[in-house]
Amino acid sequence: MLCRLSVRWLRPRPALQVRVLDPLLARAPAGGAKSSALPVWAVASVSAVGPSGAGGWYEALATSAPVQGAEDMLLFAHTASGLPWWGSILLTTVVLRGAVTLPLAAYQHYILAKVENLQPEIKNIARHLNQEVAVRAHQLGWSKRVARLTYLKTMRRLVSELYVRDNCHPFKATVLVWIQLPMWIFMSVALRNFSTGAAHSEGFSVQEQLTAGGVLWFHDLTALDSTWILPVSVGVINLLIVEIFALQKLGKSRFQTYITHFVRAISVLMIPVAATVPSSIVLYWLCSSFMGLSQNLLLRSPGFRQLCRIPLTKLDSDTPYKDLLAAFHSKFISRKSRTF
């Protein structure tokens, strides 16, 4: 059986075709604007570098077509809705999260559910293959190293064949990251351009509007949040997302544990970073994180998963929110009580 399968697995695979996109034309910023409410170093980091200087990469990014598209989207939301700038930022974030990242997140869960349902079949194949390789190694006098390499190579090909059969390669689950992260960057840079006076529209400075476009304690969206309420809120929500994800995973591998700790550290580091950028950007980060938290909770709902046709797995629960609260209580509250 091993020899017969090996002939089929060794068939040449078509090479991937890579399409190279034409370079994007840079858009030069418009005329001057009033002085920014940001520190001098913050403005200089955006506008005082040239394409040939140390900050040339950021200058290219800040004037790129995707960032220009994000600026146009924000301006359209502000003009069409008639909302103040804080409301326009909130509206744009909700629309992008609902129309782009939520469907991609549902697709990610769909792929991961199919991969999870393949695990029993994969374990069965691994058991039979291990026995077959052991027999063949005894017949042909293979060393342990050769037998192990043969097993791993064959197993990888078998698993890959299963993924192709069910159209659920795990790489497809990463599409959300490749879309969400660039979108987050482009929106952040667009808001920075607005806040530093690097972007204008139809003769008026968006920066001037942002100085009075805030609400509550952050009236000036071009200034830093001196209260640190927005930065700390961003960090807390991101940490909450990480903990929800960690509570959902049972029997994590060492690599997954390291990744969880790394993301926790990034969430904490986001707090001082958010304290050094304009409030308009931090407001966007806060709205985006809150939508991400809501999205993660929504995708745990059995009804919503059924609506999205996400396959059932043995890890699914009929009471996911009750289980989440119980796990949270057991990990944080009960442990703290036992400590005292």
Side-chain angles (χ1 to χ4, degrees):
M1 173 183 176
L2 181 63
C3 296
R4 184 171 65 255
L5 290 175
S6 300
V7 174
R8 183 178 53 175
W9 294 330
L10 291 174
R11 289 180 300 179
R13 302 176 183 271
L16 295 176
Q17 296 181 353
V18 180
R19 182 177 61 183
V20 180
L21 300 178
D22 293 330
L24 299 174
L25 297 178
R27 178 174 64 96
K34 72 168 194 170
S35 59
S36 173
L38 297 174
V40 174
W41 66 266
V43 179
S45 66
V46 178
S47 57
V49 292
S52 59
W57 67 269
Y58 183 84
E59 184 72 13
L61 173 63
T63 57
S64 63
V67 173
Q68 179 182 353
E71 293 174 1
D72 293 340
M73 186 185 308
L74 287 165
L75 287 171
F76 175 79
H78 178 64
T79 304
S81 66
L83 294 171
W85 269 107
W86 68 267
S88 301
I89 295 172
L90 176 62
L91 175 63
T92 305
T93 307
V94 171
V95 170
L96 287 176
R97 276 286 192 169
V100 179
T101 61
L102 180 57
L104 290 177
Y107 179 71
Q108 180 187 58
H109 280 249
Y110 172 81
I111 294 296
L112 294 178
K114 296 185 73 172
V115 171
E116 178 65 29
N117 289 334
L118 279 177
Q119 295 310 307
E121 187 174 356
I122 291 175
K123 290 179 181 179
N124 185 52
I125 292 176
R127 184 173 63 255
H128 286 84
L129 181 62
N130 188 41
Q131 296 173 355
E132 188 172 343
V133 169
V135 172
R136 187 57 55 89
H138 179 73
Q139 293 176 346
L140 301 179
W142 291 349
S143 65
K144 291 184 177 180
R145 180 177 179 275
V146 172
R148 182 64 177 170
L149 290 176
T150 302
Y151 169 81
L152 292 176
K153 183 178 179 180
T154 305
M155 192 63 198
R156 281 196 300 267
R157 290 173 175 171
L158 273 174
V159 172
S160 179
E161 191 171 281
L162 289 178
Y163 291 153
V164 172
R165 184 196 70 186
D166 288 7
N167 192 24
C168 62
H169 196 285
F171 183 78
K172 294 183 177 182
T174 66
V175 173
L176 174 63
V177 177
W178 300 118
I179 299 297
Q180 180 174 308
L181 183 59
M183 184 175 68
W184 184 85
I185 294 174
F186 297 148
M187 287 289 294
S188 299
V189 175
L191 287 168
R192 191 176 185 91
N193 286 346
F194 285 165
S195 300
T196 57
H200 292 65
S201 178
E202 299 179 0
F204 66 85
S205 172
V206 180
Q207 183 190 28
E208 295 179 359
Q209 296 184 352
L210 288 176
T211 55
V215 69
L216 300 177
W217 68 92
F218 53 99
H219 293 285
D220 187 354
L221 291 177
T222 66
L224 311 181
D225 182 10
S226 59
T227 67
W228 281 56
I229 295 178
L230 290 177
V232 171
S233 299
V234 171
V236 169
I237 293 180
N238 286 334
L239 279 175
L240 191 56
I241 294 174
V242 175
E243 296 307 324
I244 289 177
F245 178 79
L247 291 174
Q248 188 178 4
K249 293 292 183 180
L250 300 176
K252 293 185 297 182
S253 65
R254 180 177 299 181
F255 177 76
Q256 290 175 326
T257 301
Y258 290 154
I259 291 297
T260 301
H261 291 329
F262 174 76
V263 178
R264 284 193 184 109
I266 293 297
S267 300
V268 174
L269 288 175
M270 282 295 294
I271 297 177
V273 171
T276 62
V277 298
S279 296
S280 59
I281 302 177
V282 190
L283 178 61
Y284 165 66
W285 290 355
L286 179 60
C287 296
S288 181
S289 297
F290 183 78
M291 288 296 297
L293 175 61
S294 303
Q295 173 180 292
N296 287 335
L297 293 175
L298 179 62
L299 285 168
R300 295 173 70 94
S301 168
F304 186 77
R305 293 176 69 88
Q306 184 178 4
L307 179 65
C308 297
R309 298 183 179 180
I310 299 174
L312 291 173
T313 68
K314 64 179 182 179
L315 299 178
D316 289 341
S317 170
D318 294 332
T319 58
Y321 304 117
K322 182 179 179 180
D323 296 343
L324 181 61
L325 287 175
F328 185 86
H329 184 276
S330 175
K331 182 175 181 179
F332 297 103
I333 300 179
S334 297
R335 179 184 299 179
K336 187 175 181 180
S337 300
R338 290 194 298 267
T339 303
F340 289 104

